[in-house]
Amino acid sequence: MTFVRRMAEFTSHASYADLSEAARQQLRIRVLDALGCALGAVGAETVRRVRDAATEGGTSGSSTLIGGGHAAPDRAALVNGAYVRYLDFNDSYLAPNETCHPSDNLGATLAAAEAANADGRTLLTALGVAYQVQCRLGDAAPVRDHGFDHVTHLAYSAAAGASRALGLDVERTSNAIAIAGTALNALRVTRTGVLSNWKGLAAPFGAANAVEATLLARHGITGPPEVFEGNKGFMQAIAGQFSIDWEHEDLERVTHTILKKFNAEIHSQSALQALLDLKAREGFTARDVDHVSVEIFGVAHRIIGGGEEGDKRSVLTKEDADHSLPYMLAVALLDGNVLPAQYAPERIRRADVQGLLRRITIRPNDEFSRRFPGEMVVHVAVRVADGRLLEVERTDYPGFITRPMDWDSALTKFRMLGEPHVDPTLLTEISGAVQALDHLQVAELTRLLARAGVPGAHASREAA
C-alpha cells in the first residue's frame, strides 16, 4: 500500500469520537484564535485585493466569505485564508527542523465543510486531521533546509482536511492528496531576502489550490499514487526517506501547537517577553538604551535575526517588520507591546524605531538551540546610558506549550483584535458559536462571519 493511500485511509476513517476532549477544546480555541486574526484583518488593503481578484466572476457559490458574499469552495478558502493569515498572529507548531501555522488549514476545511452542509463535529474532525497531517510531516519530513517552504506540507494537510470535510471515500481522498502534493511545492524564497505580500499569501494560495485538487478528485480525477515514494516523488526530490505509521496516528497533535501573545513571528515571542519583563523590572525607557544584545536559539537567528535568510535591519514594509527581530524588539521597547498598530507604515518608518533597531545585536547560542523546540531560550542584555548592564533569561512565554492559553485568554485576544472592526454583540455571537461548534451546523457559524462587515467599511489598514 502506498504512503498516500495509508494517509488517505487515516483521513477518511477519522471520526469525531477519535478526538479527546482536550483535543476538541484546543481545536475550538484554535478556531477562535484564527477567526480573531481574520476579523482583525478586516479593512486591510492586501486582503481586499485578494478578495477582489477571487470574486471577479461574482460572489455566488456554496461557501461564505467573511464579510459577506459567497464563492466556490476553493475561492472562499483563498479569501478566508488570507484573512486568517494576514496579521501573522495565528498559531504555530514547532518541530525540531520545521515550523508551520496549522490554522492555515481553517479556510480550506471551513469552505469544504460548508459546501457539504456539514455539522460542527465534522469540521472539528476535518481540522483535527489537517493539524495531524501537517504537524507530523513537519516532524518527519522537514523541507526548510532543502529550500522549500512549510506551505509544501500544507498542500497535503489541506487536501486531507477538505476531503474529510466533504466526506470523500479513501480512493478519492488519496487522489486529492496526491494531486495537491504533486502540484504545490512552495519555495522558501517566500521568506528570505526582500519580503513581499506573498509571505502572508503563500499559505492561503496553497490551501485554496489543495481544495481545488480535492474538488477535481471528487469528480474522479486521479493523481500520482506514488507521490511520496515514487521515482522523482516527494521523498526522492525533496525530503529524503521517512516514515509515518498512519495506522496508529491519533488526532492529538493540535494539543502540541502554540498561540502567539504578540503580533510577531513565532520565534520572537520569548525574546519580546524577556525584554518587556526586564524593562518593567528595571524601570528604564527606550531613551535610556545604548545597546541591546540578544542570544537566542539558532532557528530564530536564521529566520528573523539576520542569519541565512537575509538582513533584518532594512525594514520598510509590514512584511519586513514582522520578520525582523531587531524591529520587533525596538518597537516593543518604544511602545510597550507588539500588536497590529506597530506595523502601520508610518510607525515602521519613524526615526525612533529605525535608529533603535540598529543598536540591537542578535547572536545564535548553540546550547539554546539544543533545547529547542521544548524550550524557547533567550538571554537579553541591555546596556543603559548610566553604564549598567541589565540582563534576563527566559525559556517560554504565555501561549507556549508550557503555559498554554485557555479559552478565556484566547477570548480576550479575539475581542482585542475584532473590536476595532466588528460590533461587540456580533463578536459575542461568533465566539459563542465557536464554543458550541460541536452542536451546530457549520452554516450557522458562517452566517455570522458574513455579517462581520464588508472589507473597506473601515479605513484601509495596510498595517493590519
Side-chain angles (χ1 to χ4, degrees):
M1 190 182 294
T2 64
F3 188 96
V4 75
R5 178 79 181 200
R6 296 198 305 274
M7 184 189 289
E9 291 203 348
F10 163 77
T11 296
S12 185
H13 296 154
S15 72
Y16 178 79
D18 296 329
L19 291 164
S20 69
E21 185 49 48
R24 294 171 189 172
Q25 177 66 354
Q26 291 305 315
L27 285 168
R28 289 188 287 265
I29 289 173
R30 297 308 179 275
V31 172
L32 183 73
D33 185 75
L35 291 179
C37 294
L39 298 178
V42 168
E45 181 67 18
T46 295
V47 183
R48 183 192 62 76
R49 291 175 181 174
V50 172
R51 183 187 176 99
D52 288 348
T55 58
E56 278 189 325
T59 55
S60 62
S62 58
S63 300
T64 301
L65 303 177
I66 292 171
H70 293 79
D74 56 329
R75 299 297 85 192
L78 174 63
V79 173
N80 293 341
Y83 279 113
V84 169
R85 192 71 179 85
Y86 179 71
L87 291 184
D88 201 359
F89 211 169
N90 56 323
D91 67 0
S92 292
Y93 178 74
L94 305 178
N97 296 297
E98 195 69 74
T99 302
C100 66
H101 301 272
S103 58
D104 286 339
N105 290 282
L106 178 60
T109 53
L110 183 65
E114 185 181 13
N117 296 314
D119 58 21
R121 294 188 175 196
T122 299
L123 173 61
L124 291 173
T125 304
L127 194 58
V129 165
Y131 268 68
Q132 196 75 19
V133 169
Q134 186 171 15
C135 295
R136 291 294 290 120
L137 286 174
D139 290 331
V143 298
R144 184 172 60 217
D145 290 346
H146 300 282
F148 291 87
D149 195 49
H150 55 76
V151 172
T152 299
H153 294 150
L154 178 68
Y156 297 103
S157 62
S163 294
R164 181 62 188 83
L166 290 167
L168 301 192
D169 61 21
V170 172
E171 186 67 26
R172 285 175 169 76
T173 298
S174 180
N175 284 318
I177 297 170
I179 295 168
T182 301
L184 303 170
N185 293 289
L187 295 178
R188 185 67 186 176
V189 72
T190 297
R191 296 171 217 285
T192 67
V194 177
L195 298 181
S196 67
N197 294 149
W198 200 245
K199 180 183 71 65
L201 297 177
F205 182 85
N209 281 273
V211 173
E212 185 173 13
T214 305
L215 297 174
L216 290 171
R218 188 187 195 191
H219 286 273
I221 303 299
T222 61
E226 294 184 320
V227 57
F228 283 98
E229 64 272 73
N231 184 23
K232 312 302 184 191
F234 179 71
M235 291 183 184
Q236 185 183 107
I238 299 177
Q241 294 296 311
F242 67 93
S243 63
I244 298 174
D245 184 2
W246 292 109
E247 288 80 1
H248 294 94
E249 283 292 315
D250 55 31
L251 296 177
E252 300 298 303
R253 194 53 46 173
V254 62
T255 65
H256 297 266
T257 60
I258 58 179
L259 297 177
K260 291 183 177 181
K261 176 181 179 182
F262 303 102
N263 190 180
E265 199 272 350
I266 189 62
H267 301 103
S268 72
Q269 302 287 311
S270 60
L272 292 168
Q273 186 66 58
L275 183 61
L276 290 173
D277 286 349
L278 184 63
K279 181 184 178 185
R281 188 185 80 195
E282 301 294 341
F284 62 87
T285 70
R287 290 189 299 273
D288 300 322
V289 173
D290 281 345
H291 187 265
V292 178
S293 178
V294 176
E295 290 186 56
I296 201 164
F297 46 98
V299 67
H301 177 258
R302 179 190 305 179
I303 296 174
I304 57 174
E308 69 178 42
E309 297 200 354
D311 175 44
K312 298 300 175 182
R313 296 178 186 274
S314 177
V315 178
L316 301 174
T317 67
K318 173 194 178 296
E319 289 80 8
D320 292 331
D322 69 21
H323 266 54
S324 165
L325 186 53
Y327 175 84
M328 292 181 283
L329 291 167
V331 83
L333 272 175
L334 289 160
D335 296 357
N337 212 333
V338 184
L339 294 171
Q342 276 64 55
Y343 299 109
E346 60 273 16
R347 184 69 193 99
I348 292 170
R349 299 187 188 113
R350 271 170 47 186
D352 59 353
V353 72
Q354 289 289 333
L356 183 55
L357 72 85
R358 287 169 173 77
R359 303 203 302 275
I360 297 175
T361 302
I362 315 296
R363 296 195 302 272
N365 181 299
D366 290 342
E367 172 60 25
F368 295 174
S369 299
R370 284 189 285 272
R371 293 163 66 179
F372 178 85
E375 297 176 291
M376 298 178 73
V377 191
V378 62
H379 181 90
V380 176
V382 177
R383 179 74 67 181
V384 292
D386 63 9
R388 289 178 297 152
L389 183 66
L390 311 174
E391 301 179 79
V392 67
E393 190 167 296
R394 289 288 181 268
T395 62
D396 64 3
Y397 70 93
F400 192 60
I401 193 74
T402 51
R403 288 196 278 168
M405 282 193 193
D406 59 14
W407 176 267
D408 288 341
S409 299
L411 183 60
T412 298
K413 178 181 172 183
F414 170 84
R415 289 189 172 280
M416 179 270 294
L417 289 171
E419 281 174 351
H421 314 286
V422 179
D423 182 83
T425 301
L426 179 56
L427 289 177
T428 298
E429 291 182 68
I430 293 171
S431 62
V434 174
Q435 192 170 35
L437 193 54
D438 311 56
H439 309 290
L440 301 178
Q441 292 296 117
V442 170
E444 295 179 74
L445 173 61
T446 57
R447 279 196 292 271
L448 296 173
L449 296 175
R451 292 165 47 201
V454 176
H458 302 273
S460 291
R461 294 176 13 323
E462 194 55 45

